[in-house]
Amino acid sequence: MPAWLELVVRVVCVLAAFLTLPLLVGQAEHKVMAHMQGRLGPMYAGAFHGWAQLIADGVKFVQKEDVAPRGADRPVFRLAPAVALLPYLLVLLVIPLGPGDLVAQPLDVGLFFALAVVGVGVISLLMSAWASANKYSLLGGLRGAAQLLGYELPLVLAAASVAMAAGTLSLPGIVDAWEPWWLLWQAPAMVVFFVAGLAEIRRPPFDMPIADSELVVGYMTEYTGLRFAFFLLAEYVGIVVIAALTTVLFLGGWRGPFADEQLGWLWTLVKVFAVAFVVIWLRVTYPRLREDQLQRLCWLVLVPVALGQLVLTAAVRLAL
């Protein structure tokens, strides 16, 4: 196959995953929350188990008018939702689905690239907050910036621990080096990475930048129609990305209980959706953290645990 055609096929596959997996996670969230909280509404659209609920939501967003505030910085205001989506699309390019060629763009520094690009999300948040010309949006944006800048540190430290254990920054290389006993050895780093990842994508209980009871919808207050839907889609893509990185770094990626790796892609997807289920479960279970609780958890709990895990990993590597 010519190199250009192979590149086109890989990009098309990533785009298909980018457009499909978040919708499946969104549909799963509708159903999981409906069952856990006894909600009847999401079970009606389309009759059987409310299968058309997500379609109904999409039609609703398409029909809504696209409104921009009179005092808004309109170019920045309109660009922010796209900036929220783009980093996650780029991250999906380097996440391996299985062994061999089942990755769109293998990079020797894939982990570094993924963490660097995920951090770009704070730009879209600040763009929407400032350009909206709304005090609620601005407060939400400032909260979000403080949250994202704080939780970047434990996220990177936890990822550095498993990279040090594997001896590589390549995501496929980390999966190849992974051993089952890492589930215990790297467990603290996995918990820190997962919690910090939730804070990075602003999922409950880390949704202070949105805080509907205080800030309407925070930095998304002035958005309507498809632009608001893009922010929601970015949240679901963020769930997929964080779940996929957790799977690749700490759960063995495509490695399953059997030696046959031909079904590796299936094991990856099963693990990704299992982690995504935990993300949804936490939304239903835990109340929103106050700002002081959120920052205290970051600086007094996650950062020390991540640093301790990093020291432990260095000691084990030297001993081996």
Side-chain angles (χ1 to χ4, degrees):
M1 180 184 297
W4 66 269
L5 182 57
E6 182 179 356
L7 178 61
V8 170
V9 171
R10 289 175 182 269
V11 171
V12 169
C13 290
V14 170
L15 283 174
F18 179 75
L19 296 174
T20 304
L21 295 178
L23 298 182
L24 294 177
V25 171
Q27 181 75 349
E29 182 169 65
H30 277 100
K31 304 310 168 189
V32 171
M33 292 181 65
H35 283 294
M36 287 186 172
Q37 297 182 333
R39 297 183 176 187
L40 299 179
M43 295 300 179
Y44 277 88
F48 178 71
H49 210 68
W51 66 269
Q53 180 61 51
L54 204 63
I55 298 174
D57 287 342
V59 172
K60 177 186 70 174
F61 283 123
V62 169
Q63 290 177 335
K64 288 184 177 292
E65 184 180 3
D66 183 15
V67 178
R70 182 180 302 173
D73 186 338
R74 299 198 174 203
V76 178
F77 180 84
R78 291 170 175 163
L79 186 61
V83 176
L85 278 170
L86 184 60
Y88 297 125
L89 173 60
L90 295 177
V91 172
L92 287 177
L93 290 172
V94 300
I95 294 179
L97 185 60
D101 295 331
L102 288 180
V103 56
Q105 184 59 52
L107 294 178
D108 292 337
V109 290
L111 177 58
F112 175 81
F113 175 84
L115 295 177
V117 172
V118 166
V120 175
V122 68
I123 297 177
S124 70
L125 189 149
L126 291 175
M127 288 171 64
S128 61
W130 179 258
S132 293
N134 181 294
K135 293 181 179 179
Y136 291 113
S137 298
L138 183 59
L139 286 173
L142 293 177
R143 284 183 179 183
Q147 176 175 316
L148 297 184
L149 292 175
Y151 278 85
E152 276 287 326
L153 181 58
L155 185 79
V156 172
L157 290 175
S161 174
V162 73
M164 182 184 297
T168 179
L169 289 173
S170 167
L171 292 177
I174 291 174
V175 178
D176 287 332
W178 184 86
E179 298 292 341
W181 65 280
W182 285 20
L183 290 172
L184 294 177
W185 178 37
Q186 295 295 325
M190 179 176 65
V191 173
V192 170
F193 185 89
F194 178 73
V195 173
L198 285 182
E200 285 290 309
I201 58 176
R202 302 169 293 285
R203 287 283 300 184
F206 302 98
D207 57 342
M208 279 297 291
I210 298 173
D212 51 341
S213 60
E214 305 168 31
L215 302 178
V216 190
V217 201
Y219 58 91
M220 298 185 292
T221 297
E222 296 293 349
Y223 284 90
T224 60
L226 284 177
R227 297 187 195 279
F228 184 78
F230 285 161
F231 274 115
L232 295 183
L233 180 61
E235 178 179 332
Y236 289 127
V237 182
I239 295 175
V240 173
V241 167
I242 293 300
L245 287 175
T246 303
T247 296
V248 169
L249 295 178
F250 300 100
L251 300 179
W254 63 78
R255 307 276 290 276
F258 309 109
D260 185 11
E261 293 186 347
Q262 291 184 352
L263 295 178
W265 61 270
L266 181 60
W267 285 115
T268 301
L269 291 178
V270 168
K271 294 175 185 178
V272 167
F273 279 103
V275 176
F277 173 78
V278 176
V279 174
I280 298 169
W281 190 358
L282 289 175
R283 174 177 182 175
V284 178
T285 307
Y286 285 95
R288 180 182 303 123
L289 295 177
R290 295 195 316 264
E291 186 66 25
D292 61 316
Q293 294 172 330
L294 187 145
Q295 295 295 342
R296 188 179 298 114
L297 174 64
C298 174
W299 296 105
L300 299 183
V301 178
L302 297 186
V303 170
V305 170
L307 287 172
Q309 178 66 39
L310 202 60
V311 172
L312 174 63
T313 301
V316 172
R317 286 285 296 176
L318 289 175
L320 295 177

